[in-house]
Amino acid sequence: MTSLLAILIGCLYAAAIYMMLRRSVVKLVIGLILLSNAANLLIFTAAGLERGVPPLIEEGQQVIAGTAADPLAQALILTAIVIGFGVLAFAVVLIHRACEVVQTDDMNEMKGTD
């Protein structure tokens, strides 16, 4: 399962970089979405894909019995999703306004405008 996810993560990174190198600003935003999803999946896979009990210590015990899920990776991914959504919303509004002013979504034509 880990090797399948590694291939999927590589494909997502490749597609994100390909989309970010396109001339269209809309494709740039799609590339940013793919890049953030690939990074989240990488963190999730790096933490391990073992099923475990919730990481709660019972009263009177010192350690968790058995394997437990890693809460750090889940917290990092949740934080990355929220931050990524905020950045994406800002980028969409910024790109929408730039396209309104310049009347195009081509990056090369935007660069030459005063």
Side-chain angles (χ1 to χ4, degrees):
M1 184 67 162
T2 306
S3 59
L4 179 65
L5 283 174
I7 292 169
L8 178 65
I9 292 168
C11 290
L12 281 174
Y13 272 116
I17 291 171
Y18 177 77
M19 293 297 280
M20 290 173 66
L21 291 175
R22 304 284 46 166
R23 288 172 51 176
S24 174
V25 180
V26 175
K27 291 179 182 175
L28 175 70
V29 172
I30 293 171
L32 286 173
I33 293 169
L34 288 174
L35 188 69
S36 67
N37 287 334
N40 290 340
L41 192 58
L42 179 67
I43 294 169
F44 184 70
T45 305
L49 298 175
E50 299 174 7
R51 273 186 194 225
V53 297
L56 302 173
I57 299 176
E58 306 262 338
E59 188 175 333
Q61 292 184 351
Q62 296 293 323
V63 295
I64 299 172
T67 60
D70 187 11
L72 180 63
Q74 295 172 8
L76 284 173
I77 292 171
L78 183 60
T79 305
I81 289 170
V82 172
I83 292 171
F85 182 73
V87 168
L88 182 65
F90 177 71
V92 167
V93 170
L94 187 66
I95 288 169
H96 176 66
R97 180 66 182 141
C99 289
E100 272 184 359
V101 170
V102 182
Q103 298 294 321
T104 185
D105 72 337
D106 190 0
M107 299 258 269
N108 289 342
E109 291 178 19
M110 283 184 177
K111 186 172 66 170
T113 307
D114 291 330

